[in-house]
Amino acid sequence: METQTLSPSIGLQLPTEDVYQLACNQLMEGRLESAESLFNALLKEIPGEAKVHGMFGALRLQQGRAQEAAVMCQQAHAMDPASPLHGINLASALFALEQCNEAIQLLREVCQQHPTHVLAHYNQAHFLFEMERAEEAVKVYETVLALDPKHLNAMNNLGTVLLELGRYVDAEAMFRRVLELDSGHSSAT
């Protein structure tokens, strides 16, 4: 990303990288209007920056504007197809648009290109479970836990999938693991 100073259109005289970080922080903190203003300003200054398009797509997804999110994420993915996060964000937008098989296929591609990327595997497992493909979800959650043995959300979700499959002993063991690592985990209690 360039180091130019962002135009005063939003009243900030900061390097664009600082504005980008501020926009991402606003997004993560749920300050969507502020994040949107910052991302719009960034797009005016640096319209060809993939990560700005990608995070703006993530913002649109949080706003429930899945079609716009898909467009922004597709642009980011086209600009930087090697980035796993652009593929993950695009898959999330596709899933929100009920293009579930396309989302799963994209995540499989991301996982093949980035076999140790935990979030890509995690999202794939979550989407598979949402699509009622529980056996496949179990395998992918197991991959997540092989990559990150203390991933509480993956453990908890795997426990839920196992419970749904009627594998009660395995599900209980998984929930116990969650509680051993985090005794206050609300979903496992």
Side-chain angles (χ1 to χ4, degrees), residues 1 20 39 42-43 46-60 68-69 71-77 79 86 89:
M1 183 176 286
Y20 175 78
F39 284 127
L42 285 165
L43 281 177
I46 46 174
E49 185 64 46
K51 67 183 186 179
V52 174
H53 284 266
M55 290 306 290
F56 207 161
L59 167 70
R60 288 291 186 240
E68 291 174 64
V71 170
M72 297 298 292
C73 292
Q74 180 60 50
Q75 290 170 341
H77 190 59
M79 290 177 198
H86 299 321
N89 285 341

Side-chain angles (χ1 to χ4, degrees), residues 90-130:
L90 177 55
S92 295
L94 292 172
F95 197 82
L97 291 170
E98 298 182 6
Q99 295 176 23
C100 302
N101 290 324
E102 293 86 347
I104 292 295
Q105 181 57 39
L106 181 55
L107 286 171
R108 284 189 174 134
E109 291 169 12
V110 171
C111 290
Q112 285 176 341
Q113 294 167 357
H114 305 276
T116 61
H117 201 285
V118 174
L119 183 59
H121 290 284
Y122 178 82
N123 282 10
Q124 182 184 4
H126 176 72
F127 292 168
L128 286 166
F129 181 62
E130 290 294 316

Side-chain angles (χ1 to χ4, degrees), residues 13 16 25 47 52 55 57 68 81 89 107 131 137 141 144 156 166:
Q13 290 293 322
T16 54
N25 290 342
V52 174
M55 290 306 290
E68 291 174 64
N89 285 341
L107 286 171
M131 294 171 66
Y141 276 127
V144 172
N156 189 63

